[in-house]
Amino acid sequence: MAAPSPGPREVLAPSPEAGCRVASASSGCRGLLWRLRDKQPRLGLFEISPGHELHPLMCMMQAGLWAATQVSMDHPPTGPPTAEDFSEVMTQVQEGFELGTLAGPAFAWLRHSLGLAEKDYQASLGPGGPYLQFLSTSKSKASFFLSHDQRFFLKTQRRREVQALLAHLPRYVQHLQRHPHSLLARLLGVHSLRVAQGKKKYFIIMQSVFYPAGRISERYDIKGCEVSRWVDPAPEGSPLILVLKDLNFQGKTIHLGPQRSWLLRQMELDTTFLRELNVLDYSLLMAFQRLHEDERGPGSSLVFRTARSVQGVQSQDEPGSQNRRLLPDSPNALHILDGPEQRYFLGLVDLATVYGFRKRLEHLWKTLRYPGRTFSTVSPACYARRLCQWVEVHSE
């Protein structure tokens, strides 16, 4: 599906006080200060410091995002996004590069509706500290980053994936209005970056599902199939953080108790929505964190939030049809579900793969290549049903 027609505008970007050149010049001192004040363990994550191959790209992303967020701070949303907001493209010209902000007013409204202050968003993504890189087990050629506080996740995307995301954006916003406790990852921005006259690179920003990460012990990327779904675990004692896959999860169970019925219903609602978009190949991200003794038991860390979890949204649906739940009194509560013994971080990510001609050919090839085995490239209806069945089988 094509993206909405863009409404382009070009502006000269304001420069952050600590711009890219200043960031490079002072990065040694600032990096030391940042490491001293950062109390969270970051095992297996690597600071993108001067000399790293991605350091120039990171500096441009940080300076560009600082300036782009400044625009939304100077011109905050006054109401729900319009058709023009969804199609707007703003290009900000910086020294040596330009940053495009796609559907900027729509994303600014979405961030506001989630209770995310633009000042905090700018501080996390701007030149206040180095981004973190981690080794991904994904087969794609995308680059993955975390903001220095690990709150936001950045990923490079192909142009056709960005087009699909923008085409689906109005319905995505509508789904989050109808189901404020949805497991869908919260997409917060889509951007392009071009150096001189080179080719545009696209990247997205979303809330990290695995936040706060300090006590997480295991991470998984689940698609509900078996082909190419094994990752060799890190050696015992290794600091490397790996996201494991379906076959690594064999013999394990998600112990949720009374929360299980909510999860099964929300998986059904969200995957039905993705099926209607003709989308497949998304993943259920999942992580485990053992609860401390004082965190266990009814009411120990829950707050009752049935009125609104996405601020400013008025819906005609009854709370029951919206499938609301008790949210933990914790950062990133929409992606956290507590069982009797474990805290689970859960979110559906990678929502941009459409079941078009290319994927249909891939399905036929894999049917011949892997007879009798399950693989990811199947119809959206089959994909949704299979992932829901996986959660049902592996939870109690």
Side-chain angles (χ1 to χ4, degrees):
M1 186 182 299
S5 299
R9 61 188 175 103
E10 185 170 299
V11 298
L12 272 176
S15 297
E17 292 181 5
C20 187
R21 288 175 297 172
V22 177
S24 296
S26 63
S27 57
C29 175
R30 193 187 61 231
L32 174 61
L33 292 173
W34 178 257
R35 284 190 289 274
L36 288 174
R37 70 174 181 262
D38 182 9
K39 303 301 183 184
Q40 292 288 341
R42 300 194 305 210
L43 301 179
L45 297 174
F46 307 96
E47 284 189 358
I48 301 177
S49 304
H52 192 291
E53 62 178 348
L54 295 175
H55 186 259
L57 174 62
M58 180 201 76
C59 279
M60 290 184 283
M61 291 169 72
Q62 288 186 327
L65 290 173
W66 190 96
T69 309
Q70 190 63 44
V71 171
S72 62
M73 291 169 67
D74 294 340
H75 306 281
T78 57
T82 64
E84 290 76 17
D85 293 335
F86 283 113
S87 63
E88 180 179 292
V89 178
M90 178 182 68
T91 302
Q92 293 176 292
V93 180
Q94 300 263 5
E95 184 178 344
F97 73 96
E98 59 183 41
L99 185 102
T101 299
L102 289 72
F107 282 115
W109 180 86
L110 182 56
R111 294 193 297 268
H112 173 74
S113 73
L114 293 167
L116 175 57
E118 292 293 270
K119 187 167 76 170
D120 294 340
Y121 186 69
Q122 185 185 58
S124 290
L125 293 169
Y131 288 171
L132 307 174
Q133 183 192 28
F134 60 93
L135 296 180
S136 170
T137 55
S138 169
K139 294 172 66 178
S140 75
K141 296 180 180 179
S143 296
F144 301 86
F145 308 91
L146 284 170
S147 59
H148 60 72
D149 54 8
Q150 302 189 46
R151 190 176 176 186
F152 302 111
F153 179 87
L154 302 91
K155 178 185 178 184
T156 59
Q157 299 263 224
R158 298 183 181 94
R159 183 172 180 269
R160 67 171 178 271
E161 293 170 332
V162 166
Q163 288 178 325
L165 284 174
L166 294 177
H168 297 154
L169 185 58
R171 294 180 66 182
Y172 168 83
V173 170
Q174 187 180 59
H175 181 78
L176 294 185
Q177 289 180 287
R178 290 177 176 172
H179 305 289
H181 296 175
S182 168
L183 290 168
L184 298 182
R186 276 15 181 214
L187 187 62
L188 304 175
V190 176
H191 298 273
S192 66
L193 188 147
R194 178 160 59 188
V195 180
Q197 299 301 312
K199 187 177 180 181
K200 282 185 180 179
K201 296 178 182 288
Y202 293 90
F203 64 95
I204 65 168
I205 305 168
M206 67 181 195
Q207 283 187 187
S208 174
V209 174
F210 299 153
Y211 175 82
R215 289 162 49 199
I216 288 177
S217 58
E218 300 174 62
R219 296 166 171 80
Y220 293 90
D221 175 312
I222 301 297
K223 292 183 182 287
C225 58
E226 57 182 323
V227 171
S228 300
R229 302 304 297 166
W230 168 265
V231 172
D232 290 331
E236 190 166 347
S238 168
L240 195 63
I241 291 176
L242 289 179
V243 180
L244 305 176
K245 298 187 179 181
D246 301 61
L247 295 180
N248 300 95
F249 199 82
Q250 287 184 348
K252 299 180 183 291
T253 303
I254 309 167
H255 297 280
L256 289 174
Q259 300 260 41
R260 179 175 182 264
S261 59
W262 177 87
L263 175 62
L264 296 181
R265 175 60 178 153
Q266 194 59 53
M267 284 293 299
E268 181 184 356
L269 290 168
D270 288 335
T271 58
T272 296
F273 167 70
L274 295 174
R275 184 194 70 207
E276 291 170 353
L277 295 183
N278 202 33
V279 165
L280 73 157
D281 215 19
Y282 44 91
S283 296
L284 175 66
L285 288 187
M286 176 170 49
F288 295 175
Q289 172 186 303
R290 181 162 290 279
L291 292 172
H292 290 154
E293 194 65 38
D294 61 353
E295 296 173 323
R296 300 176 189 173
S300 59
S301 63
L302 295 177
V303 291
F304 197 60
R305 299 183 184 175
T306 57
R308 285 195 304 249
S309 286
V310 178
Q311 298 175 9
V313 170
Q314 300 295 326
S315 173
Q316 300 302 314
D317 295 331
E318 293 298 320
S321 66
Q322 292 184 310
N323 199 41
R324 296 176 186 262
R325 64 180 172 101
L326 293 172
L327 297 178
D329 189 13
S330 170
N332 202 28
L334 292 171
H335 288 302
I336 290 175
L337 196 60
D338 284 348
E341 303 285 334
Q342 296 267 11
R343 169 163 287 181
Y344 298 95
F345 296 76
L346 298 160
L348 290 164
V349 301
D350 296 337
L351 314 178
T353 303
V354 175
Y355 193 55
F357 179 71
R358 199 177 292 189
K359 285 295 175 181
R360 291 173 190 272
L361 284 180
E362 186 178 330
H363 169 75
L364 290 175
W365 179 82
K366 286 186 176 179
T367 301
L368 298 173
R369 178 71 176 82
Y370 304 110
R373 300 180 66 192
T374 56
F375 47 83
S376 62
T377 313
V378 293
S379 72
C382 177
Y383 196 96
R385 181 173 61 251
R386 190 174 63 189
L387 188 55
C388 287
Q389 289 171 345
W390 188 98
V391 174
E392 186 171 6
V393 167
H394 291 85
S395 63
E396 62 180 27

